[in-house]
Amino acid sequence: MLSQVCRPGFQPFNQRLLLWAQSTALSRSHPVQTSTVRNVRSWSNIPFITVPLSRAHGKSFAHRSELKHAKRIVVKLGSAVVTRGDECGLALGRLASIVEQVSVLQNQGREMMLVTSGAVAFGKQRLRHEILLSQSVRQALHSGQNQLKEMAIPVLEARACAAAGQSGLMALYEAMFTQYSICAAQILVTNLDFHDEQKRRNLNGTLHELLRMNIVPIVNTNDAVVPPAEPNSDLQGVISVKDNDSLAARLAVEMKTDLLIVLSDVEGLFDSPPGSDDAKLIDTFYPGDQQSVTFGTKSRVGMGGMEAKVKAALWALQGGTSVVIANGTHPKVSGHVITDIVEGKKVGTFFSEVKPAGPTVEQQGEMARSGGRMLATLEPEQRSEIIHHLADLLTDHRDEILSANKKDLEEAEGRLAPPLLKRLSLSTSKLNSLAIGLRQIAASSQDSVGRVLRRIRVAKNLELEQVTVPIGVLLVIFESRPDCLPQVAALAIASGNGLLLKGGKEAAHSNRILHVLTQEALSIHGVKEAVQLVNTREEVEDLCRLDKLIDLIIPRGSSQLVRDIQKAAKGIPVMGHSEGICHMYVDSEASVDKASRLVRDSKCEYPAACNALETLLIHRDLLRTPLFDQIIDMLRVEQVKIHAGPKFASYLTFSPSEVKSLRTEYGDLELCIEVVDSVQEAIDHIHKYGSSHTEVIVTENEKTAEFFLQHVDSACVFWNASTRFSDGYRFGLGAEVGISTSRIHARGPVGIEGLLTTKWLLRGQDHVVSDFSDHGTLKYLHENLPVPQSNTN
């Protein structure tokens, strides 16, 4: 039939139907002509009729991260998305959000197309209003007899509703898109023109011309003229969700679209009906996986369900179009679901023809959970033996490790800044230090998991214990530093935690061999899967959303990485520090020689470390003294760039560049110097501008030092010692998973203790609470009992 572009100045165009015979009803009413159909291709038990295409089959995107390159996109809006909960009228808020997202993408230079439902719901709302108005007039005419006749609203025929609602639906889209200076065009299709090749070509030309003119085509089935439905079919024969899924898939393939987004009222495809106890959202779905899925009931409106969507999605995927099925109704996510999908975020179910060789990150999380629980049940000596074996493997395979690291360094040359290259580099001495640290961890792990912290006799023969247990599954995200992998793995093994590791791609070769050695060590006691290295193209932000798989996230890297993870984490605690703004206060009673040595070591020994000195606070009385001159001369020799704080700058005629911010972590040979009048002013400065990481006082006055140690509120506070001592290995913890500046659970360098939590064990003999009531026979004792010194695991 002829359909019209709903903007003044455009002429009507011929259309062809984009639907194929998918349902029995359509097949009976309009038999498919054998001359049109090439062949029938099927995946599992889902058949698809393949019709001649105007192009050769393209190639869909293999990974979500590639979706950001999608140029031409079809967004299909199901009835549940555009319809209100009462199924009589449109969900205007959701529609406005969808239009905004589509407009944002269109204005980025993409070519957007919509396939929409909603005409029936909009028309039903209008017709009901007209019927009620008509009834009220009739009742008024009969009011002379004082008998108002109750007249029930008749059942509304869907085609009439569509006829009444289609123009209003398009007018609504028109008004919304106009707000973003975007023109929209309406195209209506029906199944009566299924086999008309001329109309197919006309529609193809029409759509390409609209896209060329930066117009958003809005495609819908012409529900006003659909053929009669089968008895008992939903919505009285309207071509609704089921057929619009097919329409969207066919449109996407015919137009050589890069991406089809199917929005419904569920988060995506589940392995069993959503809402069931064991239902799990399938992140990525591959052809041939249908046997692993149990389909549930259809949507609350429309004729289709998830099975129809999967059929359409696989058909589109076969034609070279990537597909994502996602929730367009959830208030917390629907406001950005479309743009999130295009950005490659983990939203809904992504359909891909490329199945990865290894497990998905969800499967790795499950393996880490299961392996971690097995690890926690081992005897302390067994966990210690695993760590000792890993330390030996680092030494035995030194040449292989250094060879892999050399590849990483060669590939990173010219791409990474010198401080990051230094972090990336491994050496024989680093590996030897690693092995020593791992053996320290092994020794300290003997009394970690299962240690009794507290015993209470609650009542006679009722005893309570508080014991240490692993946190669960840790996700550690680290940049550049491959030596972090065995350190963190050893701490996780010692504390009985499952572990997911996400390293930077710049250390891929080093991380791979270190992970292989870690799993080899774990294998001696059958817990190889407890430590997993995420090698897939998972974005960090997507990993932070796996709240059902991960119990704690520990970022190790730049302050920007840590901030990004803290922002992205959804429901998962993050342990770490966003910045390492470490201070050193040189008091008026400081030793000249000590001050210079401490400043040099804190700033120059390893400026890229988070525990390196960033701000030097100098007592005012030290200006223009030998101590001050010696520090300045040393910094000049070490080629440290100095930034002057506001007060320091005011004392100088020709000062260094004034600092832009006193809250800066330089991570390089740069240092801020500021002047303070007292130890209290130094403490106030630290509290105002610091990050609660590590602070130092240099003084020979013990009373001043103790005042500083007690009043500075940071994770690590030192007296006459370098900031660089803020480290798990140097603290004797063997290693650390990171340095925490939070105030809950763990603070400072986090070793085994910081990776443990507790649980309560109550042992009774048929005890019930009612026996302890006012009229009961038992009384609470709450006696503290001795805690055993040996491990009770």
Side-chain angles (χ1 to χ4, degrees), residues 708-724:
F708 185 89
L709 294 175
Q710 297 303 319
H711 286 79
V712 170
D713 185 16
S714 292
C716 300
V717 189
F718 303 158
W719 173 23
N720 287 348
S722 168
T723 60
R724 298 275 292 117

Side-chain angles (χ1 to χ4, degrees), residues 102-115:
V102 170
S103 299
V104 167
L105 295 173
Q106 181 81 4
N107 287 328
Q108 288 176 355
R110 305 180 198 268
E111 297 174 341
M112 305 298 297
M113 291 179 277
L114 286 183
V115 174

Side-chain angles (χ1 to χ4, degrees), residues 48-249:
F48 292 93
I49 298 173
T50 307
V51 298
L53 300 177
S54 57
R55 66 155 179 159
H57 287 178
K59 187 176 181 181
S60 60
F61 294 124
H63 306 282
R64 280 185 183 270
S65 58
E66 297 172 339
L67 295 181
K68 63 186 68 173
H69 303 301
K71 170 72 173 177
R72 185 171 292 175
I73 302 170
V74 171
V75 178
K76 183 263 177 179
L77 309 178
S79 295
V81 176
V82 299
T83 305
R84 290 193 328 226
D86 60 4
E87 302 176 24
C88 184
L90 302 179
L92 298 180
R94 286 200 294 267
L95 276 181
S97 175
I98 288 167
V99 168
E100 180 180 16
Q101 294 173 78
V102 170
S103 299
V104 167
L105 295 173
Q106 181 81 4
N107 287 328
Q108 288 176 355
R110 305 180 198 268
E111 297 174 341
M112 305 298 297
M113 291 179 277
L114 286 183
V115 174
T116 182
S117 303
V120 174
F122 200 7
K124 186 186 294 185
Q125 181 184 32
R126 294 181 64 182
L127 291 181
R128 281 187 175 181
H129 177 75
E130 292 298 326
I131 291 172
L132 287 173
L133 182 62
S134 175
Q135 285 180 344
S136 65
V137 172
R138 292 174 185 172
Q139 289 171 350
L141 293 176
H142 290 83
S143 61
Q145 302 175 7
N146 293 321
Q147 293 182 354
L148 297 176
K149 296 182 179 180
E150 301 254 341
M151 298 182 66
I153 299 177
V155 176
L156 298 176
E157 206 277 333
R159 289 192 293 273
C161 291
Q166 186 64 49
S167 61
L169 175 65
M170 190 60 204
L172 182 62
Y173 276 121
E174 181 76 17
M176 288 182 173
F177 275 112
T178 301
Q179 301 301 312
Y180 302 95
S181 302
I182 290 176
C183 178
Q186 181 184 37
I187 297 178
L188 296 177
V189 294
T190 76
N191 57 350
L192 298 178
D193 303 313
F194 191 179
H195 305 299
D196 193 316
E197 187 65 27
Q198 180 60 47
K199 291 182 179 180
R200 254 181 75 188
R201 287 195 295 269
N202 289 346
L203 177 57
N204 192 289
T206 297
L207 290 169
H208 276 94
E209 184 65 14
L210 292 174
L211 295 176
R212 187 187 68 80
M213 293 187 292
N214 199 35
I215 296 172
V216 176
I218 300 178
V219 185
N220 195 1
T221 51
N222 193 342
D223 294 338
V225 296
V226 292
E230 285 189 355
N232 302 321
S233 64
D234 292 333
L235 290 184
Q236 302 178 33
V238 62
I239 301 177
S240 186
V241 172
K242 180 177 181 181
D243 294 287
N244 270 352
D245 290 323
S246 306
L247 169 61

Side-chain angles (χ1 to χ4, degrees), residues 567-635:
K567 182 179 179 180
K570 305 295 182 184
I572 308 176
V574 177
M575 183 165 66
H577 62 279
S578 59
E579 293 173 309
I581 305 176
C582 302
H583 294 78
M584 179 178 289
Y585 165 57
V586 182
D587 184 56
S588 59
E589 299 180 67
S591 163
V592 175
D593 294 332
K594 287 180 183 178
S596 182
R597 274 172 48 84
L598 291 173
V599 173
R600 176 189 286 111
D601 190 78
S602 298
K603 178 73 261 184
C604 308
E605 196 266 342
Y606 191 179
C610 66
N611 56 15
L613 177 63
E614 305 295 3
T615 298
L616 179 64
L617 301 175
I618 302 283
H619 193 283
R620 181 185 57 182
D621 293 347
L622 296 177
L623 294 178
R624 301 180 180 88
T625 65
L627 185 150
F628 178 77
D629 293 340
Q630 185 170 330
I631 292 175
I632 296 299
D633 290 341
M634 180 274 297
L635 292 174

Side-chain angles (χ1 to χ4, degrees), residues 8 17 22 57 142 211 291 321 416 437 457 510 515 539 541 575 622 624 680 764 785:
L17 181 67
Q22 185 169 295
H57 287 178
H142 290 83
L211 295 176
Q291 65 275 7
T321 296
L416 292 183
R457 180 178 287 118
S510 304
H515 178 247
E539 297 291 337
E541 186 173 346
M575 183 165 66
L622 296 177
R624 301 180 180 88
Q680 183 61 58
L785 299 175

Side-chain angles (χ1 to χ4, degrees), residues 589-785:
E589 299 180 67
S591 163
V592 175
D593 294 332
K594 287 180 183 178
S596 182
R597 274 172 48 84
L598 291 173
V599 173
R600 176 189 286 111
D601 190 78
S602 298
K603 178 73 261 184
C604 308
E605 196 266 342
Y606 191 179
C610 66
N611 56 15
L613 177 63
E614 305 295 3
T615 298
L616 179 64
L617 301 175
I618 302 283
H619 193 283
R620 181 185 57 182
D621 293 347
L622 296 177
L623 294 178
R624 301 180 180 88
T625 65
L627 185 150
F628 178 77
D629 293 340
Q630 185 170 330
I631 292 175
I632 296 299
D633 290 341
M634 180 274 297
L635 292 174
R636 185 180 297 112
V637 171
E638 296 290 342
Q639 298 182 337
V640 177
K641 182 179 181 180
I642 297 175
H643 302 277
K647 289 187 68 175
F648 181 42
S650 68
Y651 284 100
L652 304 174
T653 305
F654 300 102
S655 68
S657 61
E658 186 168 344
V659 69
K660 295 180 180 179
S661 171
L662 291 168
R663 292 190 179 94
T664 301
E665 180 182 17
Y666 298 102
D668 206 346
L669 287 173
E670 296 185 56
L671 180 68
C672 171
I673 297 180
E674 181 59 309
V675 173
V676 293
D677 292 338
S678 65
V679 64
Q680 183 61 58
E681 188 174 335
I683 294 170
D684 292 342
H685 179 103
I686 290 168
H687 288 165
K688 184 174 182 179
Y689 300 108
S691 60
S692 301
H693 193 291
T694 301
E695 328 298 348
V696 173
I697 182 172
V698 182
T699 185
E700 297 303 302
N701 188 314
E702 182 177 355
K703 184 177 179 181
T704 303
E706 288 300 326
F707 183 86
F708 185 89
L709 294 175
Q710 297 303 319
H711 286 79
V712 170
D713 185 16
S714 292
C716 300
V717 189
F718 303 158
W719 173 23
N720 287 348
S722 168
T723 60
R724 298 275 292 117
F725 279 104
S726 183
D727 176 84
Y729 174 75
R730 299 181 182 110
F731 275 19
L733 306 178
E736 66 187 38
V737 292
I739 296 179
S740 172
T741 55
S742 64
R743 302 174 188 278
I744 298 176
H745 185 66
R747 202 175 187 201
V750 180
I752 298 175
E753 294 294 327
L755 300 180
L756 297 171
T757 184
T758 64
K759 69 178 179 182
W760 296 90
L761 306 177
L762 185 64
R763 297 178 175 89
Q765 295 180 2
D766 193 33
H767 287 80
V768 294
V769 171
S770 59
D771 286 343
F772 294 85
S773 65
D774 292 340
H775 304 290
T777 58
L778 296 177
K779 299 295 182 184
Y780 289 111
L781 300 176
H782 293 148
E783 297 176 357
N784 289 323
L785 299 175

